[in-house]
Amino acid sequence: MSYTTLISVPELNLHIANDNWAVVDCRFSLADTERGRRDYRQAHVPKAVYAHLDEDLSGTVIAGKTGRHPLPSVASFAETLANWGIGSDSQVVVYDDAGGAIAARLWWMLNWVGHEKVALLDGGWQAWQSCGFPVACDREYRPRKRFETHVRPEAVVDADLIERIRDDPHHVLLDARSVARFRGEVEPIDAVAGHIPGAISAPYEENLTPGGMFLPPEVLRQRFEKLVNAVPSENVICY
């Protein structure tokens, strides 16, 4: 059985000793970019390698052109995965401590390069701790594997396309940040507050229960049906 969306903590624990399973800790703070790495060194899911948002999941920042977290090149990303011991047949599980806000990027990136066997740990690091399963504190190393990419170019859009379609009723642009950032009431990271004109606020926190678990599929379905208003999924763009 392959896991491609969510996986529970008990399910992951059943497979934690399987060498073909790769776990990636994606904890990261935009306000303190080394906090995630410090937290990883204190304790993490056994056998998990660490992914740093700036260093491992982003490319080179070019002022005035890329934004703060551009995608890495396909070649460099494939090299990173190979060095983490992730091969084309690996089952990957990703997690963070922020409701999936960071780990979902790696989940999406793996799908972008054609790797579907990747799941987000439901409830993240907090859920693992709450279940009382063992933790590790040493840096983990996995034997290098060969990772073959099968890029899905349709998974990515650029700013020029957004400018063309943002007022098109046949497309929907969803902003997954908090409502306060969407409204421009607070902006802790970026130079300009607010949102892309035409975008709809769809804060990722509203996908979760108060305990940080994902809401049931039918509840999520109803939420997004209201947000996209019958626009087909291939025309839904998120940021």
Side-chain angles (χ1 to χ4, degrees):
M1 176 182 178
S2 297
Y3 294 85
T4 59
T5 52
L6 295 176
I7 186 170
S8 71
V9 164
E11 286 172 318
L12 173 58
N13 188 59
L14 288 174
H15 299 278
I16 202 70
N18 189 330
D19 290 336
N20 201 43
W21 282 55
V23 183
V24 186
D25 184 320
C26 301
R27 284 177 287 175
F28 186 84
S29 168
L30 292 172
D32 178 358
T33 60
E34 287 302 302
R35 194 187 80 188
R37 187 156 24 217
R38 292 195 303 270
D39 291 345
Y40 170 82
R41 288 170 177 166
Q42 288 182 348
H44 54 262
V45 173
K47 294 192 174 184
V49 298
Y50 181 68
H52 192 284
L53 175 61
D54 293 344
E55 299 171 9
D56 301 313
L57 305 183
S58 301
T60 303
V61 174
I62 302 173
K65 182 178 181 181
T66 63
R68 55 179 159 78
H69 289 110
L71 288 173
S73 70
V74 171
S76 66
F77 182 48
E79 182 72 6
T80 296
L81 296 171
N83 287 333
W84 284 341
I86 295 175
S88 298
D89 63 340
S90 299
Q91 172 66 63
V92 184
V93 177
V94 299
Y95 73 89
D96 61 28
D97 59 358
I102 306 298
R105 177 182 175 99
L106 178 53
W107 179 90
W108 177 88
M109 288 173 67
L110 279 158
N111 276 273
W112 166 53
V113 295
H115 191 88
E116 296 182 352
K117 292 173 62 175
V118 53
L120 181 71
L121 184 61
D122 197 10
W125 172 241
Q126 295 93 326
W128 183 269
Q129 288 183 301
S130 295
C131 286
F133 291 128
V135 300
C137 57
D138 295 329
R139 184 177 177 182
E140 308 282 355
Y141 296 92
R142 291 172 49 83
R144 179 182 168 86
K145 289 191 176 183
R146 186 168 183 267
F147 186 89
E148 295 182 3
T149 61
H150 302 277
V151 179
R152 298 171 54 230
E154 72 279 5
V156 185
V157 299
D158 60 19
D160 290 337
L161 178 64
I162 295 299
E163 179 61 21
R164 294 197 302 272
I165 60 85
R166 61 184 174 80
D167 294 322
D168 180 353
H170 302 295
H171 289 78
V172 171
L173 181 62
L174 300 181
D175 185 323
R177 299 172 305 155
S178 68
V179 173
R181 292 185 70 193
F182 178 84
R183 292 175 177 169
E185 297 167 352
V186 60
E187 182 45 67
I189 303 295
D190 295 315
V192 179
H195 60 269
I196 297 173
I200 296 172
S201 179
Y204 80 90
E205 297 99 324
E206 293 183 12
N207 294 326
L208 308 173
T209 68
M213 309 295 285
F214 272 79
L215 292 165
E218 187 53 38
V219 176
L220 291 171
R221 181 188 303 276
Q222 292 173 6
R223 180 191 183 209
F224 284 97
E225 283 178 345
K226 292 178 181 178
L227 286 168
V228 305
N229 193 26
V231 169
S233 59
E234 60 267 24
N235 289 348
V236 178
I237 302 166
C238 308
Y239 75 93

